[in-house]
Amino acid sequence: MSYRTEEVAYVQPAQPAASALAAQATQQRSTAEYRALDAAHHIHPFSDMGSLNRSGSRVIVKAQGVYLWDSEGNKVIDGMAGLWCVNVGYGREELADAAYKQMLELPYYNTFFKTTHPPVIELSALLAELAPEAFNHFFYCNSGSEGNDTVLRIVHQYWATQGKHSKKFVISRKNGYHGSTIAGGTLGGMGYMHEQMPSKVENIVHIDQPYFFGEAQGNLTPEEFALARAQQLEAKILEIGADNVAAFIGEPFQGAGGVIFPASTYWPEIQRICRKYDILLVADEVIGGFGRTGEWFAHQHFGFEPDLITLAKGLTSGYVPMGAVGLHDRVAKAIIENGDFNHGLTYSGHPVAAAVAVANLKLLRDEKIVDRVKNDTGPYFQKQLRETFANHPIIGEISGTGLVAGLQLAQDPKARKRFANGGDVGTICRDFCFNGNLIMRATGDRMLLSPPLVINKLEIDEIVSKAKKAIDATAQQLGIS
Ligand code: PXG
């Protein structure tokens, strides 16, 4: 049986009937017991633990395709692919088999002291095949945050090899997200994270984001506004001095920041400025990479050519942790030909993670999942969202392409007027989604969707209709109709 009913080309190996899945889960304890132990011993990321422990977490016990089951037997549709990462969907035996075989064959070996192993070799060759032509070299780590730490190391090493030792500043953006290590958190532009970081990485500065709905003043068109925001980069470079600026980093579209999609004028201008002042351009592809926009990498959707790309999440579809940095040939050459590069992690290129990544990338390629996002499910998803929410009383804009979208909640959509208590409104809506068994993420007053890339049209219809119910209920609670 296939969970994708419409497309013969995507028929899956035999899977148990969905209704049997929840029962099969190896659930050892009652929900109450799980919650009590979780509250007693587990600190969750980005959470107010006092309040979470009082209300109790939802315990997820099982997943298949685009669905999750909780410990109460509820079936939930996952509109977020976990945390923007389960691109091939849950329950793919190919990935489990790859991990199992690799664990028996060679569960671990390092790549530090003149050694290597087949999985990391295969993965690097495959990434070189799938990435844009000039990306032929990859450095491995365990997460997107470590990827961006690695980016900083490569950027500084690169300029050192060019004899330009004063090029130290990295320019990033407010409301960008680049991870939660000290370097990732500093690169990111999340004020609430900076407030809890008494020390930060030095020489990192931020410019404004290209968030048209929330920040454009007057009668600027989206294109004019995006251009003006890109030109802040030039102003910042001139302020610091081009001889002191090493790199600019940005997500092609901001994910955690609210699926902020810049107008078409933005990235070409950023690229022009980086080239003019001899500054490396880094695309953080942790969310955008591996098919999310219908292209293999989101920078291809926006039509620019970065010098470095940060990868994670969809690299293994989240089945095991892995991150990487892809180096454009011109950067790779400088790193390769100039002696030691003093950076690495015990698990750089971990054989099990690499074997899973290879199996995952082959599924994305051979089942034409990325092509399908571009030509079929992506356009359908965008059309359904835009039709369903056209003229909705609290939807101000819908951003996105392929299988990623942001829905702006707004007090007065036509006047681009946001709710004064935006975060509260997002939380209200998120709770309605949760109770309706749809996982949808709220970032302030924007509701985000990023489902597994294997989603079919029936499942897209289910997400859109559940989102509509939740957003209608939110409007009703606010007394807006
Ligand atoms: N860059 C980008 C663009 C990301 O989205 C990271 C780097 C860091 O990756 P790691 O693997 O270190 O987490 C991310 C991560 C959310 C959310 O709530 C988003 C991320 C992580 C956790 C939560 O949207 N993105």
Side-chain angles (χ1 to χ4, degrees):
M1 196 199 91
S2 167
Y3 64 80
R4 299 190 205 82
T5 46
E6 326 143 285
E7 291 258 358
V8 180
Y10 291 93
V11 168
Q12 289 259 296
Q15 301 284 355
S19 56
L21 282 165
Q24 267 180 20
T26 48
Q27 192 173 325
Q28 317 265 335
R29 300 174 188 273
S30 69
T31 303
E33 283 175 318
Y34 278 132
R35 284 187 176 162
L37 286 172
D38 194 65
H41 304 296
H42 178 199
I43 300 192
H44 294 224
F46 284 93
S47 300
D48 171 345
M49 286 314 299
S51 128
L52 181 60
N53 288 346
R54 282 187 293 279
S55 60
S57 296
R58 190 171 206 165
V59 185
I60 304 297
V61 294
K62 175 87 192 167
Q64 182 67 38
V66 300
Y67 291 101
L68 307 164
W69 280 264
D70 70 15
S71 55
E72 298 288 277
N74 293 305
K75 182 182 175 189
V76 183
I77 190 159
D78 185 3
M80 282 303 296
L83 259 183
W84 322 80
C85 55
V86 188
N87 288 12
V88 297
Y90 298 95
R92 292 305 304 254
E93 284 184 13
E94 295 86 341
L95 274 62
D97 284 346
Y100 180 73
K101 286 191 185 124
Q102 191 56 47
M103 281 193 185
L104 292 177
E105 185 85 14
L106 179 72
Y108 177 76
Y109 202 70
N110 73 71
T111 49
F112 276 51
F113 310 117
K114 299 188 177 175
T115 55
T116 186
H117 50 69
V120 80
I121 295 168
E122 296 298 342
L123 175 57
S124 305
L126 185 55
L127 279 171
E129 185 189 309
L130 296 171
E133 214 181 315
F135 285 85
N136 291 298
H137 295 85
F138 301 87
F139 186 100
Y140 298 97
C141 51
N142 307 289
S143 66
S145 300
E146 286 179 2
N148 286 324
D149 278 47
T150 300
V151 158
L152 288 187
R153 303 293 289 277
I154 294 174
V155 161
H156 293 308
Q157 174 75 353
Y158 173 81
W159 287 118
T161 67
Q162 308 302 300
K164 298 195 174 173
H165 298 279
S166 63
K167 276 190 170 290
K168 288 202 163 61
F169 275 85
V170 176
I171 302 175
S172 177
R173 299 174 307 173
K174 293 176 191 158
N175 199 37
Y177 189 80
H178 298 293
S180 196
T181 53
I182 300 286
T186 310
L187 282 170
M190 302 300 186
Y192 57 89
M193 289 174 73
H194 291 175
E195 279 164 26
Q196 291 187 350
M197 290 167 59
S199 66
K200 301 197 187 76
V201 173
E202 45 188 9
N203 301 327
I204 291 174
V205 294
H206 297 83
I207 58 173
D208 289 325
Q209 60 175 331
Y211 175 24
F212 178 76
F213 191 91
E215 298 184 359
Q217 306 283 340
N219 293 326
L220 288 181
T221 64
E223 288 72 23
E224 289 164 350
F225 171 75
L227 202 60
R229 285 288 153 109
Q231 285 162 356
Q232 278 196 11
L233 176 60
E234 189 156 23
K236 187 57 87 179
I237 292 167
L238 294 174
E239 181 191 319
I240 300 170
D243 288 347
N244 300 320
V245 182
F248 172 78
I249 183 169
E251 304 152 82
F253 64 89
Q254 291 150 257
V259 185
I260 309 288
F261 260 64
S264 60
T265 45
Y266 185 76
W267 281 109
E269 181 68 357
I270 292 280
Q271 174 164 297
R272 180 191 71 75
I273 294 166
C274 287
R275 298 280 177 267
K276 178 172 175 192
Y277 296 100
D278 203 11
I279 282 156
L280 293 177
L281 175 51
V282 185
D284 183 338
E285 291 274 3
V286 167
I287 284 180
F290 305 108
R292 184 57 51 201
T293 63
E295 303 291 343
W296 275 89
F297 299 94
H299 72 263
Q300 296 169 308
H301 170 78
F302 290 99
F304 68 101
E305 189 185 64
D307 298 296
L308 292 162
I309 50 178
T310 320
L311 309 171
K313 296 194 189 270
L315 173 58
T316 55
S317 282
Y319 279 51
V320 290
M322 185 175 232
V325 176
L327 292 77
H328 190 286
D329 287 343
R330 63 177 161 258
V331 180
K333 192 165 181 285
I335 300 295
I336 290 165
E337 290 177 0
N338 284 287
D340 280 348
F341 175 50
N342 295 316
H343 175 59
L345 304 145
T346 303
Y347 301 128
S348 287
H350 192 286
V352 176
V356 171
V358 167
N360 172 62
L361 297 179
K362 284 185 176 166
L363 286 186
L364 288 172
R365 181 191 64 188
D366 299 343
E367 293 192 346
K368 305 210 180 321
I369 294 169
V370 179
D371 290 356
R372 211 159 73 106
V373 175
K374 180 169 179 141
N375 298 312
D376 187 14
T377 46
Y380 182 76
F381 177 66
Q382 297 297 331
K383 180 167 154 280
Q384 294 308 100
L385 282 173
R386 284 169 169 77
E387 281 176 13
T388 303
F389 292 103
N391 302 316
H392 192 282
I394 62 165
I395 294 295
E397 78 163 357
I398 296 178
S399 62
T401 191
L403 285 175
V404 62
L407 283 70
Q408 172 77 52
L409 302 175
Q411 172 127 41
D412 182 347
K414 297 225 159 54
R416 293 209 312 267
K417 181 161 184 262
R418 297 167 68 190
F419 289 104
N421 55 344
D424 296 349
V425 176
T427 306
I428 293 170
C429 185
R430 205 252 332 264
D431 290 346
F432 278 122
C433 294
F434 205 72
N435 294 334
N437 288 331
L438 163 67
I439 304 276
M440 198 172 180
R441 168 132 163 53
T443 286
D445 54 7
R446 288 172 78 85
M447 302 305 299
L448 316 182
L449 284 167
S450 170
L453 304 185
V454 293
I455 194 167
N456 67 31
K457 290 180 183 166
L458 273 178
E459 293 159 343
I460 289 175
D461 290 346
E462 183 182 340
I463 287 188
V464 173
S465 79
K466 285 186 164 164
K468 171 84 163 52
K469 266 197 196 136
I471 291 168
D472 286 350
T474 307
Q476 202 183 0
Q477 178 159 332
L478 297 168
I480 300 175
S481 55

